[in-house]
Amino acid sequence: MSVEHPEGEVRLANALQRGEFSLQYQPRVDIVTGEILGAEARLRWWNPDLGTMSPAQFIPLAEDTGLIVAIGKWVMRTACEQNVAWQKRGLPSIVMSVNLSPRQFKEPGILHDIGVILAETGMSP
């Protein structure tokens, strides 16, 4: 069964509540010094019935249904929390990049949401 199946939207909606999403962090490295300058948060979805789902399979559905807004907030919050956790363990501060979809930019409260997430997680803008 694929995400395009009629149950795909329900599965995607439940994925956030069930903790099926995770983030992987792709480092941005200075090629001269080898220093990690930043990281890009990359969203992954593992569903117990479908297995690992490619973002190319589920992001379009998330955008079409509007679920990308809630998923995007989760990604931002989780990436910020991870960055702050790394800093608390003594790692240097780095730039954390999170991709936003065009659908998210249409949300009137996007700037407010980002500000709230930064404040609540303690991450410096």
Side-chain angles (χ1 to χ4, degrees):
M1 180 183 301
S2 70
V3 168
E4 291 85 28
H5 189 276
E7 295 176 10
E9 184 177 342
V10 173
R11 288 178 190 272
L12 188 59
N14 290 331
L16 196 54
Q17 297 169 352
R18 294 181 180 165
E20 295 175 4
F21 289 118
S22 65
L23 294 180
Q24 294 178 350
Y25 300 94
Q26 181 174 342
R28 195 177 48 137
V29 179
D30 182 311
I31 61 171
V32 174
T33 66
E35 177 185 10
I36 296 176
L37 303 174
E40 179 183 351
R42 313 281 302 225
L43 180 63
R44 300 294 180 252
W45 177 24
W46 181 84
N47 176 275
D49 298 322
L50 304 176
T52 301
M53 302 299 298
S54 164
Q57 293 174 291
F58 69 86
I59 294 296
L61 178 62
E63 289 175 343
D64 289 347
T65 61
L67 291 169
I68 194 68
V69 175
I71 293 168
K73 287 179 189 178
W74 178 86
V75 169
M76 283 189 274
R77 177 173 301 284
T78 302
C80 289
E81 288 171 345
Q82 182 61 68
N83 197 346
V84 169
W86 286 332
Q87 291 172 40
K88 286 181 179 178
R89 296 182 99 183
L91 296 173
S93 178
I94 62 169
V95 173
M96 179 63 73
S97 300
V98 174
N99 294 315
L100 299 177
S101 80
R103 172 69 171 82
Q104 289 171 276
F105 281 112
K106 292 178 183 176
E107 286 295 306
I110 185 69
L111 293 178
H112 176 263
D113 292 341
I114 292 170
V116 167
I117 289 169
L118 290 171
E120 289 178 354
T121 62
M123 183 158 158
S124 171

